[in-house]
Amino acid sequence: RGHRRDYCFGDGHSCALCIDGEGYCKPTGGSISLNKINGLGGLKGYYFLNIMGEVGHPLKVVLESDDGYHRSWHNYGSVWTDKVHEPGFQQRKAGAVDHVQVQDQVTGEIAYFKFPCGPAAPPPPKIVIEPVPVPVAPPVVVTEHRFVPGPPIEAPAGPAGPAGPDGEDGEERIKIIPG
């Protein structure tokens, strides 16, 4: 059996994600999702599960309850369960908690779910980010600028530029004297 805790915030891989009533659950970063649908009318007292995984991957779904009730299903890519008895109906203990484990038989990914959630889960721990003092670097003062000549750059002449204050449109020669 996989590791299971009463409360979980997020991944659904190392602990169970829970649903009160009906709803949808998908672990963060996982490919497996579960939708719980409660029966109505003549199907009151039952619920149904729709489990989705990677297309074409065989899925194994096992439901075990703390009252001894258990079911299992196998299918490729998705699983629609038949009727699952709600706790408190059809000789099931009222208040029982159902635990579901879904495994992708190709990738080995496992997700855990449970319903109902039980008592209200405590809020997630508050993350406090404290500012860290940053050392101030001393100012840099440039006292000397020196040009270091390199090899000449050979490139084709570009288009003629606009007229300068003392010249006409055309090319100009500039002589650079390293110094």
Side-chain angles (χ1 to χ4, degrees), residues 137-159:
V140 177
V141 178
V142 177
T143 58
E144 182 179 322
H145 177 70
R146 176 176 268 207
F147 175 75
V148 179
I153 299 174
E154 296 190 22

Side-chain angles (χ1 to χ4, degrees), residues 22 36-48 69 71 82-87 89-90:
E22 57 185 9
K36 180 178 179 274
I37 301 107
N38 292 332
L40 300 172
L43 297 175
K44 186 168 176 59
Y46 299 98
Y47 67 84
F48 303 84
Y69 185 78
R71 306 285 302 272
D82 49 352
K83 297 182 286 190
V84 178
H85 293 94
E86 285 274 5
F89 291 92
Q90 299 289 328

Side-chain angles (χ1 to χ4, degrees), residues 19-156:
I19 299 173
D20 274 325
E22 57 185 9
Y24 175 84
C25 246
K26 182 175 183 186
T28 306
S31 66
I32 296 171
S33 66
L34 178 139
N35 196 12
K36 180 178 179 274
I37 301 107
N38 292 332
L40 300 172
L43 297 175
K44 186 168 176 59
Y46 299 98
Y47 67 84
F48 303 84
L49 299 176
N50 176 23
I51 297 105
M52 301 292 288
E54 294 285 338
V55 174
H57 289 201
L59 297 176
K60 180 178 181 181
V61 180
V62 177
L63 179 143
E64 290 185 7
S65 181
D66 58 8
D67 67 355
Y69 185 78
H70 62 280
R71 306 285 302 272
S72 64
W73 302 269
H74 302 269
N75 207 357
Y76 291 84
S78 67
V79 173
W80 272 99
T81 67
D82 49 352
K83 297 182 286 190
V84 178
H85 293 94
E86 285 274 5
F89 291 92
Q90 299 289 328
Q91 288 125 23
R92 287 205 57 202
K93 182 178 97 181
V97 177
D98 292 343
H99 299 271
V100 176
Q101 176 181 320
V102 181
Q103 182 172 21
D104 182 316
Q105 300 289 291
V106 173
T107 65
E109 177 185 353
I110 299 175
Y112 300 98
F113 305 92
K114 77 174 190 173
F115 11 93
C117 296
K126 184 177 180 181
I127 298 172
V128 178
I129 300 174
E130 296 181 15
V132 178
V134 177
V136 178
V140 177
V141 178
V142 177
T143 58
E144 182 179 322
H145 177 70
R146 176 176 268 207
F147 175 75
V148 179
I153 299 174
E154 296 190 22

